[in-house]
């Protein structure tokens, strides 16, 4: 079972705690030996998901949006990113160099191309996450929305 992730970033600390717990609960629904988590490892829900996958003892695969993706990460997140990439059994690359909206869209498409099911950390508002959810539904990839009670955006 390949389980993908998409999600809104920039969530407040209280919401982060709720979302991290909810993601771990979602991941733990699957047998660790049969689960492969797929993530671009962007800061926020995508990295939290990957951490939950690793904590559960499941396999992880990543999608690199662009060759320069890592350079654009915060110093704090770069350490997490490097640790998770080192843990991944495979790194899929879009082949793009510049980390921009086009590269991020291609990476989301790659995640959906691998995923049997998609988790979406999403409050239902329009934006990039909504676009990924719509794309998944168009291509019959089942989607589970992860937005715990009490979660909010700034």
């Amino acid at each position: 079972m390949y389980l993908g992730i998409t999600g809104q970033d920039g969530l407040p600390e209280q919401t982060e705690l709720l979302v991290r717990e909810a993601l771990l609960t979602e991941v733990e629904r699957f047998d660790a030996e049969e689960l492969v988590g797929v993530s671009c490892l962007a800061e926020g829900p995508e990295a939290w998901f990957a951490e939950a996958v690793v904590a559960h003892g499941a396999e992880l695969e990543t999608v690199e949006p662009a060759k320069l993706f890592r350079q654009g990460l915060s110093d704090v997140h770069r350490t997490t990113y490097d640790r998770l990439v080192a843990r991944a059994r495979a790194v899929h690359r879009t082949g793009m160099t510049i980390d921009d909206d086009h590269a991020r869209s291609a990476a989301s498409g790659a995640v959906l191309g691998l995923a049997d099911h998609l988790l979406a950390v999403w409050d239902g508002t329009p934006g990039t996450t909504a676009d990924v959810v719509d794309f998944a539904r168009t291509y019959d990839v089942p989607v589970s929305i992860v937005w715990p009670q009490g979660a909010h955006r700034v």
Side-chain angles (χ1 to χ4, degrees):
M1 164 60 108
Y2 278 75
L3 185 62
I5 183 72
T6 188
Q8 296 169 313
D9 59 1
L11 300 175
E13 187 176 329
Q14 179 185 6
T15 296
E16 175 183 341
L17 296 173
L18 294 169
V19 168
R20 280 180 177 270
E21 183 178 323
L23 286 171
L24 184 58
T25 298
E26 289 294 328
V27 166
E28 289 177 341
R29 293 180 195 272
F30 300 94
D31 183 331
E33 293 180 8
E34 297 176 6
L35 178 65
V36 179
V38 183
S39 174
C40 296
L41 303 179
E43 195 163 359
E46 292 182 15
W48 305 337
F49 165 79
E51 290 173 327
V53 167
V54 169
H56 185 49
E59 294 287 342
L60 176 66
E61 294 189 9
T62 68
V63 175
E64 179 187 76
K67 291 177 185 175
L68 299 178
F69 178 71
R70 185 184 178 280
Q71 291 179 355
L73 301 176
S74 70
D75 291 340
V76 172
H77 185 61
R78 199 172 291 137
T79 302
T80 300
Y81 178 83
D82 290 344
R83 178 176 43 82
L84 291 169
V85 167
R87 172 64 173 74
R89 74 177 191 180
V91 178
H92 306 273
R93 293 179 170 83
T94 65
M96 296 183 185
T97 300
I98 304 300
D99 182 32
D100 58 13
D101 289 343
H102 186 64
R104 300 278 179 115
S105 178
S108 293
V111 168
L112 289 175
L114 293 166
D116 298 309
H117 194 101
L118 181 72
L119 297 180
V121 177
W122 181 45
D123 66 355
T125 59
T128 303
T129 302
D131 294 343
V132 174
V133 169
D134 287 344
F135 189 65
R137 289 176 174 157
T138 297
Y139 289 94
D140 295 323
V141 176
V143 177
S144 294
I145 305 301
V146 178
W147 194 253
Q149 185 172 354
H152 67 282
R153 293 187 73 193
V154 176

